[in-house]
């Protein structure tokens, strides 16, 4: 039995704590072989350094090929013929399209498997597949790996409303003449008998949150959802309540919404869930941080251009609990200084800055000056933010902004001229990867 386990990721801030589950047992039986494959589980810690002193989305997307059949209907085998493929990995089922929906980054073979796997998991049924190749243990293990990657990296990434599993499956491979029959059962992270109850709780909470969301444009709503998640979620990859059958359920959107805690898997999938509701194209990206820890974050689309976004790393762990926008709509160049995305999914290219938080709000400066600081100060006051935030166009300008804060003379003068007393203190922090400087007034 080979266990294809959950691929959920975590990380609030910077590096993550990784748990790798790999159970590899092979049981030879007369009728076939059961493969139960354990997958990479990345549960992240908040790796960003702390600053110094309602609409349901449970329906299939428009371009998912098959409508869901009646729940009582027996699952039909997928008969996608892979015999003419030199199949060595999931890369042989993908297309380098750089689309925001994972399904659009598959070739026709991959899309057929995706569609039938989605239909099965969304109905809480087994996935059945007929491979037109004679049985071999090596091929059965390969297909088990591919099915699991398709589930975790494609289907569940596109469909965060499927909250009861983060991936993981068991595959029974049975010889059938010149072909092999596969019966795939999905691993559940929660008590299956409670799924309907959990759905109702999620729908009720989502409706409550959407009722609070301002009726502004989609970009402002996307910022509001980011801020809501950060303000109302405690980063935690070791929830005490998630035990027994639900020991991995702490990485779910249920944990984030109802328990107000999760890891980066919950943050990123919850953000996509809300973006689906308001109509902002969004996906979840899974990868590895520079320290080797696994992590999950988002890519969103505004104005026909793509942007990297990491709500988890904008949620501080340790230090002062202040809201950040450092990783809201940044470029590949900036984001990939701290991590690399898994390469079997062709993610969109992000090189625009129009909707970067600081550019959009006129908080990007070529250099530090009293007027630049005062402009950022007024934005902080008008929007009742936790701290003053601004971004600079170069590393050299960022260094000069840090020196400006360290010296404090000019900064204190601007604060005094804007109604702040003389006996106040402040903290400051700079991010080398994005050239953002934050100043917190005490």
């Amino acid at each position: 039995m080979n266990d294809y386990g959950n691929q959920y990721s975590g990380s609030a801030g910077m590096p993550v704590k990784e748990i790798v589950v790999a159970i590899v047992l092979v049981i030879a039986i007369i009728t076939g072989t059961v493969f139960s494959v354990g997958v990479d589980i990345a549960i992240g810690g908040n790796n960003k350094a702390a600053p110094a002193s309602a609409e349901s989305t449970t329906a299939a997307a428009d371009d998912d090929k098959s409508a869901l059949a009646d729940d009582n209907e027996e699952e039909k085998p997928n008969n996608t013929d892979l015999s003419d493929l030199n199949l060595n990995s999931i890369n042989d089922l993908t297309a380098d399209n750089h689309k925001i929906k994972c399904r659009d980054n598959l070739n026709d073979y991959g899309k057929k498997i995706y569609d039938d796997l989605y239909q099965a998991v969304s109905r809480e049924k087994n996935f059945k597949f007929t491979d037109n190749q004679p049985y071999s243990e090596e091929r059965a293990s390969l297909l088990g790996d591919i099915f699991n990657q398709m589930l975790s990296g494609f289907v569940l990434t596109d469909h965060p409303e499927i909250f009861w599993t983060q991936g993981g499956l068991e595959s029974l491979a049975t010889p059938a003449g010149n072909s092999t029959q596969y019966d795939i059962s999905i691993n559940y992270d929660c008590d299956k008998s409670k799924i309907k109850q959990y759905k109702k709780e999620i729908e009720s909470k989502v409706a409550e949150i959407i009722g609070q969301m301002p009726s502004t444009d989609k970009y402002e709503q996307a910022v509001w959802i980011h801020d809501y998640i950060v303000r109302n979620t405690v980063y935690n990859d070791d929830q005490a309540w998630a035990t027994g059958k639900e020991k991995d359920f702490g990485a779910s959107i249920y944990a984030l919404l109802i328990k107000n805690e999760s890891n980066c898997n919950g943050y990123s999938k919850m953000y996509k869930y809300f973006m689906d509701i308001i109509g902002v194209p969004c996906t979840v990206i899974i990868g590895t941080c520079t320290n080797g820890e696994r992590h999950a974050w988002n890519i969103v689309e505004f104005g026909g251009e793509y942007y990297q976004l990491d709500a988890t790393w904008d949620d501080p762990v340790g230090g002062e609990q202040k809201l950040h926008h450092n990783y809201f709509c940044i470029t590949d160049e900036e984001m990939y200084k701290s991590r690399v995305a898994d390469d079997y999914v062709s993610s969109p290219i992000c090189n625009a800055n129009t909707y970067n938080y600081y550019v959009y709000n006129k908080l990007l400066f070529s250099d530090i000056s009293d007027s630049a600081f005062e402009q950022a100060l007024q934005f902080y006051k008008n929007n009742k933010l936790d701290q003053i935030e601004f971004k600079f166009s170069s590393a050299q300008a960022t260094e000069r902004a840090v020196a400006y804060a360290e010296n404090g003379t000019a900064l204190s003068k601007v604060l005094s001229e804007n109604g702040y007393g003389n006996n106040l203190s402040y903290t400051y922090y700079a991010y080398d990867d994005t050239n953002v400087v934050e100043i917190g007034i005490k």
Side-chain angles (χ1 to χ4, degrees), residues 364-377 390-392 397 400-402 404-405 410-411 414 439:
L364 173 67
F365 302 98
S366 59
D367 210 342
I368 187 62
S369 64
D370 290 352
S371 61
F373 176 65
E374 185 169 14
Q375 186 171 327
L377 175 64
F390 38 13
K391 181 181 178 73
F392 294 91
R400 288 191 289 272
V402 169
Y404 179 90
L411 183 150
V414 173
I439 297 176

Side-chain angles (χ1 to χ4, degrees), residues 124-142:
E124 303 163 39
K125 301 290 185 180
N126 282 8
F127 169 63
K128 299 180 184 296
F129 180 83
T130 300
D131 181 30
N132 295 324
Q133 290 283 315
Y135 171 82
S136 75
E137 186 175 304
E138 180 181 3
R139 186 166 176 88
S141 179
L142 170 65

Side-chain angles (χ1 to χ4, degrees), residues 85-96 105-107 142 146 149-150 154 342-346:
L85 279 179
N86 181 21
L87 192 61
N88 295 302
S89 73
I90 197 170
N91 291 330
D92 297 312
L93 300 176
T94 62
D96 197 21
N105 294 313
L106 294 167
N107 61 27
L142 170 65
I146 288 173
Q149 286 179 301
M150 185 69 74
F154 290 83
D342 290 348
D343 62 5
Y344 66 86
V345 180
S346 174

Side-chain angles (χ1 to χ4, degrees), residues 62-83:
D62 292 341
D63 54 354
D64 286 332
K65 298 293 184 183
S66 9
L68 300 184
D70 185 273
D71 282 348
N72 295 320
E73 182 181 330
E74 183 178 351
E75 199 66 42
K76 296 178 181 178
N78 178 306
N79 293 312
T80 303
D81 188 359
L82 302 176
S83 57

